[in-house]
Each structure stands twice: as C-alpha cells, then as structure tokens.
Amino acid sequence: MAGHIPEETVEEVRKTSDIVDVIGEHVQLKKQGRNYFGLCPFHGESTPSFSVSPEKQIFHCFGCGKGGNVFTFLMDKEGWTFIQAVEELAEKNSISLPEEKRSASVNEDDGSQRVLEAHQWLAKLYHHLLVNTTEGKDALDYLTERGFTRETIDTFQMGYAPDKPGVVATFLEKKGFHPQEMVKAGLLTATEGGDYLDRFRGRIIFPLRNHLGKTVAFAGRTLGEGQPKYLNSPETSIFHKGKLLYNFDLARGFIRKQSTIVLFEGYADVISAYQSDIKNSIATMGTSVTPAQAELMNRYAEKVIICYDGDQPGIEASVKTAKELQKAGIHVYIARVPNQQDPDDFIKAEGPDRFRREVLETSEPFVGYLMRYYRNQFNLQSEGDRFDYIEMILREVAKLERAVEREYYLQELSKEFSISLESLNEEMEKWRPKQKSPGVKQSPQSTVKKNDPTSSAGNKPRPAFHNAERKLLAYMIRDSYIAEIVKENISASFNIEDHQIIATHLYAYYEENDSVNVSEFLETFEEDRFKHLVTDIASLSLSPEVPEKEIEDYLYQVKMEHWKKENTNHLKKEMKEVEKQDPIRAAEIAMQLLKENREWKTRN
C-alpha cells in the first residue's frame, strides 16, 4: 500500500504521467540534448538550472537542490499531499481510484470526468460500427479506397456515425449519461420537439485525442454531398481546440527522438504521413496556430517543417503559421507540395519515398521561402518596390537568432541588388530591438550580452574569480569527483552566467554518464559560442593529480566574489534609501564601498 492507494495503482499512475508534460504546464521547458531545461519554479533565477529527464522521469534543480519524480513536483509546487498528487494525475489520465480512498480535500468533479468517459464509450461505438457492421461498410470502403489500411484505421480509431437519429442517444442513455448532459458535451443535439439526435450522424468519424491519448472531441466528414463537409465538436470542459495538436499523443515520442515536427493542416494528411512511417506528424485544429500550440511544439522540437496544401490559400497559411512559430523561437522550414496538391493526395499518387525526398527533404528555411514568396508580390523593376521588398526581408532577417543565418541572407540581398553588406547590416540592426516579443522569454543561450565577461576585450587580464571559475569547470569536465565537490559547495552558483549554464549542463550530463566525452558534451549546446567556450575551457592545462588545495582556493574565490556582489548590492540599496533623509549615513556607506573595493582589488 502507498498511503490509502494500492501500490499497483500508484505505479500505473506514475507510468502513465509523463513528467515533461506535467512540469511543462508550470515551467517553460526547452530541450537541450537528452534533457529539458527551464527556470526553476521553486526559487528566483534568471539562468535555467532546472533540469527534467524524460528517460529517468525525474527533475532536479542545480540551483536550489530540489528534485524528485512527478508526484514530488506536484507536492512541492501545489502544496499537496502524496495522495492528492496521485489523485490529480489519476483523474487526468482517467485512471479509476477506489471511491472510498479519495481524499476529501480534492475538488468535486465538475462533470468533466463524466464527459470524458462518454467520449471514450462513443469512440468505441463509432469504431465498432465502422469495422464490424453493414451500416459502416460504405464508410469503410471509402477509407480503404483512400489508401488507409485496417491497421491505420484501428490505430487512429476511425469510426462511423450511423445515419439514424436515435442510435447514439439510446446508447449513451443506457451507459448512464443523461441526454441533456450529452447535449452540453457536444455529442447530441436537441430538437424543438424534445428529441435528441446524434450530432455527427452519417459521417466518418476522426476521434480527437488529448496529449494523454484520451478522446476529448470528434471531427466528422460527410460521405455524400451534405454540408458542412466537416463538422467538429464544440469547445467543452475537456476540449479546447487552441491547446490541442492532432496526433500529438502518438507522435510525441518520435518528435523527441528527431527533435523535428512535420506540421500538416488536415487529419487525412497526418494519417497518411503516419502510415508512411513519417511518425512525427501532427496537425493543428485549423490553419491558425495559437501561442499555446506554438509553445508546446517548442518544448519538444527544435525544428518544425510546415507542410500545408500547395495551393495559394495553403501558401498564405504557411507564411502566417511560420511567423507564429518563429515568435516561439522555433526554427521553421516550409515544404512545397507540387502542382497545388495536398500532402495526402501526393503521398497516395507518388508514394512515401518521393514525398520524403521531393517534399520534406527539400523544405527550405522560412526566410528563404519568404524571399521567394514576397518577390512575387513586388515589381522589382520599380525602384520603390525594390526598397520595400528589401526592407521587408531585412525585418524578417532581423528576427533570426543565429548570426550565421543573418549574414547568409544579407549576402544574398547584397549579391542580388548590388548593395554593400555593411549598409544592409546597418539597416537590419535598426529592426533587431523591435523584434523581441514581450510575451516570449529570450533564452540565456540565445542572447549575447554587450558586456559579456566571458569574452576578454583586447589583452585585458581576467579577474581572479573568472580564472578560478574556468579552472573549476575544466577540472569538473575532466573528473566527475571534482564536479560532485563543486556541486555540493556552490552548485551552479558561478558568478558568470555562461559558466552557470555550462555547469548546469555538466551536472545533467553526469546524471546520464560516468565521464565526459567532450565531443558529445558539446552537442548539448545549441549556440556555437558555448561550444567554443567549452572547448577553450577543456583545453586548459591542468595538474595530473587532483589538487584539492587548489580546488579549495578556486571555490573560495568564487564564493568571495559572490559575497562581494551581494554585499555591495545591499550597501548600494541602503545608500539609495538613506541619501535623501540622512546624507551623512549615505557618505559613510559610500566610503565603506570604496574601502571594500580597494581591499577586494588587493586580494585579487
């Protein structure tokens, strides 16, 4: 027994609850190497030191030391008991707990659980009617003719809603669901005469599952000429289309491995791609991508390939979607489907291999795509249009995080329009500050500070604490034992932010490995500047034996610099508070600051 809940039930809840998904609801996580990183929710910090391991299903903060599993996180974050954490996750995953075991402090069910159960029952009914009855034969034949195999139909639980008004209402009522309750859930409609009809009757059914694999809504496609051609569930207590990504539950594991998403706009496109072994395929609920969907994609993937229909509306939707994804910090590519086809039709006509080779593998970065897209909207023979075109492209180039990408596209513009690279770069820099979205936090790894202490100006020697931190990191890279000593003494509290980031990555790396393969460790960083810095530090000359006295001295230097900053900031704050009311005290504090600065310079 685990408290009042059977151990086997606790284990089922633990296995079903993905720690990245659970913590991702509270913390904006970014994948780096094998792990995910974010700002710790348990203490204030500006540099991510909070690590989540999907392989081990644990979290750990190298700053404050908090760590544990999915239950521990909810207990610490929400102030819940262990029982409450288990109950919350069990409810999210539709795992039944013995009624008498539920804690009294958990909120009463608002009806969402019953609505969820009704959807599970109905998904089973629709699928059974499609594959096992004569009523579903025409729908099954249609799907088979479209190239969907029986295995795919079962995997996606496609179904059929019979064209008889009372079948579903009767089925749900027998399962204990009141018709009015099911009208509110979006599964039935009520007539003026008081009858209850199946909302999706006469349609092929595509269940819409949440990220845990539970059906929360349906999309129905008419078999004949009826209108509307597609009919979706309304938003309910369990279905919010702006937060859901179609097929994310099946694609998530493949997305993690490849760190790439193929984004479609239609359910059939996703299913065809998945059947063709392109299993990192998802779709939004419509062509508009919401910030919540973009954030979810950014949490799991570094790159998104947009693969919408090849016609003009599809092209325009691709550009709109790409801009939303770019705001979330995602590297966006756009695939072009030839001859204005949709992806499903292309796969059916040309086969999966050609789709991969000619569509996905030839996808181009968003800015390159935009250059071609906007070129068709301007008359480049006109001087005014040329300037407008160049300005529009410069605005887009300015949004790019990687300097090498910005330089590449500036060179393209320079060659095409015979404008100097310096002029283009100067013009582009005007737009750089304006591109930061206030709603998106810049990753510390994607921002180079003007006064970056890790880059020395000219031949100016580094302060003693700076060299001490570099030496510590070098020994930590060489020896896990020293890394453990440093972790126990200062964790990731280095004074230089870049060193904090390297230490955080190093601790996470040692969770998975006994020793450091520097080449492999470098791949946990996105930006080249971090790779260069780690390579530089790893190349430092070190004593062959572990110099414990030297390590102690380095730790002292780091701690003293940290103390100095804290003490100085405290004195400055005090001086600012008293300088108007007590000028004499303010002068005393100023003298104390000068004295401490002189003493610190003498020690260093």
Side-chain angles (χ1 to χ4, degrees), residues 5-196:
I5 302 174
E7 184 61 41
E8 58 270 20
T9 305
V10 172
E11 188 60 24
E12 182 185 1
V13 173
R14 191 194 335 264
K15 287 181 178 178
T16 310
S17 304
D18 189 302
I19 195 168
V20 175
D21 285 341
V22 174
I23 293 180
E25 294 179 4
H26 304 266
V27 179
Q28 186 170 355
L29 298 174
K30 184 75 173 177
K31 192 172 190 295
Q32 297 286 349
R34 296 180 180 178
N35 294 343
Y36 291 77
F37 291 89
L39 297 175
C40 180
F42 302 115
H43 79 286
E45 62 176 10
S46 58
T47 303
S49 62
F50 184 83
S51 169
V52 183
S53 169
E55 294 178 14
K56 294 185 175 182
Q57 289 291 299
I58 60 173
F59 74 93
H60 181 73
C61 177
F62 298 109
C64 68
K66 287 273 189 184
N69 61 17
V70 68
F71 299 132
T72 312
F73 177 82
L74 291 177
M75 291 164 66
D76 290 340
K77 184 71 175 66
E78 304 291 349
W80 291 342
T81 65
F82 176 77
I83 299 295
Q84 288 174 308
V86 175
E87 288 174 347
E88 173 69 16
L89 292 173
E91 185 172 337
K92 277 191 173 185
N93 292 288
S94 300
I95 296 173
S96 299
L97 298 178
E99 196 62 34
E100 66 274 12
K101 304 298 183 186
R102 297 189 62 83
S103 66
S105 58
V106 174
N107 293 334
E108 290 295 317
D109 184 15
D110 61 358
S112 296
Q113 186 63 28
R114 284 181 54 77
V115 173
L116 190 62
E117 290 173 4
H119 278 79
Q120 310 321 303
W121 280 114
L122 199 49
K124 292 176 182 177
L125 174 67
Y126 285 148
H127 184 63
H128 169 77
L129 292 171
L130 174 70
V131 299
N132 294 318
T133 69
T134 55
E135 290 177 305
K137 186 178 183 305
D138 288 345
L140 185 61
D141 289 344
Y142 171 83
L143 291 171
T144 303
E145 289 169 7
R146 288 290 303 270
F148 298 123
T149 66
R150 176 59 189 271
E151 181 183 358
T152 297
I153 290 169
D154 289 342
T155 298
F156 287 86
Q157 286 291 287
M158 287 183 267
Y160 177 69
D163 199 8
K164 294 180 180 178
V167 172
V168 169
T170 302
F171 171 80
L172 290 172
E173 199 161 11
K174 285 182 179 179
K175 292 296 180 184
F177 301 101
H178 194 279
Q180 289 182 350
E181 183 184 17
M182 294 298 95
V183 170
K184 186 178 178 182
L187 299 177
L188 300 177
T189 58
T191 67
E192 293 181 359
D195 294 323
Y196 297 98

Side-chain angles (χ1 to χ4, degrees), residues 116-385:
L116 190 62
E117 290 173 4
H119 278 79
Q120 310 321 303
W121 280 114
L122 199 49
K124 292 176 182 177
L125 174 67
Y126 285 148
H127 184 63
H128 169 77
L129 292 171
L130 174 70
V131 299
N132 294 318
T133 69
T134 55
E135 290 177 305
K137 186 178 183 305
D138 288 345
L140 185 61
D141 289 344
Y142 171 83
L143 291 171
T144 303
E145 289 169 7
R146 288 290 303 270
F148 298 123
T149 66
R150 176 59 189 271
E151 181 183 358
T152 297
I153 290 169
D154 289 342
T155 298
F156 287 86
Q157 286 291 287
M158 287 183 267
Y160 177 69
D163 199 8
K164 294 180 180 178
V167 172
V168 169
T170 302
F171 171 80
L172 290 172
E173 199 161 11
K174 285 182 179 179
K175 292 296 180 184
F177 301 101
H178 194 279
Q180 289 182 350
E181 183 184 17
M182 294 298 95
V183 170
K184 186 178 178 182
L187 299 177
L188 300 177
T189 58
T191 67
E192 293 181 359
D195 294 323
Y196 297 98
L197 309 177
D198 177 9
R199 177 183 180 88
F200 300 101
R201 60 192 179 278
R203 295 174 182 271
I204 293 173
I205 299 297
F206 298 90
L208 308 182
R209 300 184 300 270
N210 64 16
H211 305 150
L212 301 173
K214 302 296 180 181
T215 300
V216 294
F218 297 101
R221 185 196 189 284
T222 183
L223 265 177
E225 299 300 322
Q227 293 296 325
K229 185 176 181 180
Y230 289 97
L231 181 65
N232 292 342
S233 293
E235 294 212 348
T236 65
S237 59
I238 63 171
F239 173 55
H240 305 281
K241 68 179 183 179
K243 296 181 179 179
L244 203 66
L245 293 169
Y246 181 70
N247 193 47
F248 189 77
D249 59 314
L250 297 181
R252 178 170 53 198
F254 300 98
I255 291 170
R256 272 189 185 149
K257 289 177 182 176
Q258 300 175 46
S259 198
T260 301
I261 288 171
V262 181
L263 181 66
F264 295 99
E265 60 179 315
Y267 309 133
D269 297 331
V270 171
I271 297 170
S272 286
Y274 195 91
Q275 182 175 277
S276 302
D277 207 32
I278 305 167
K279 297 189 182 297
N280 55 333
S281 304
I282 61 172
T284 53
M285 305 288 119
T287 55
S288 296
V289 173
T290 66
Q293 290 169 330
E295 182 182 331
L296 182 60
M297 284 187 258
N298 187 39
R299 195 185 307 153
Y300 282 84
E302 300 293 336
K303 173 182 174 181
V304 172
I305 301 174
I306 299 172
C307 190
Y308 286 179
D309 292 354
D311 56 13
Q312 190 59 32
I315 292 171
E316 292 172 1
S318 297
V319 172
K320 182 180 177 182
T321 296
K323 289 183 177 182
E324 190 65 46
L325 293 178
Q326 197 177 51
K327 289 178 186 176
I330 298 172
H331 298 308
V332 184
Y333 287 68
I334 297 182
R336 288 180 286 169
V337 184
N339 303 321
Q340 299 191 2
Q341 291 178 286
D342 62 46
D344 177 36
D345 288 340
F346 186 93
I347 292 172
K348 296 292 190 304
E350 308 297 339
D353 290 340
R354 286 194 64 182
F355 180 75
R356 282 195 201 88
R357 188 172 60 252
E358 298 178 17
V359 178
L360 296 184
E361 292 177 9
T362 61
S363 62
E364 56 185 323
F366 176 49
V367 173
Y369 182 90
L370 267 186
M371 291 175 77
R372 185 169 49 79
Y373 173 76
Y374 283 140
R375 192 174 280 117
N376 296 328
Q377 299 184 14
F378 290 90
N379 176 15
L380 297 184
Q381 303 304 313
S382 161
E383 187 175 281
D385 273 17

Side-chain angles (χ1 to χ4, degrees), residues 452-471:
D452 186 354
T454 63
S455 57
S456 55
N459 295 318
K460 184 179 178 181
R462 297 185 180 95
F465 81 88
H466 189 149
N467 286 323
E469 291 187 0
R470 284 169 58 84
K471 283 285 191 176

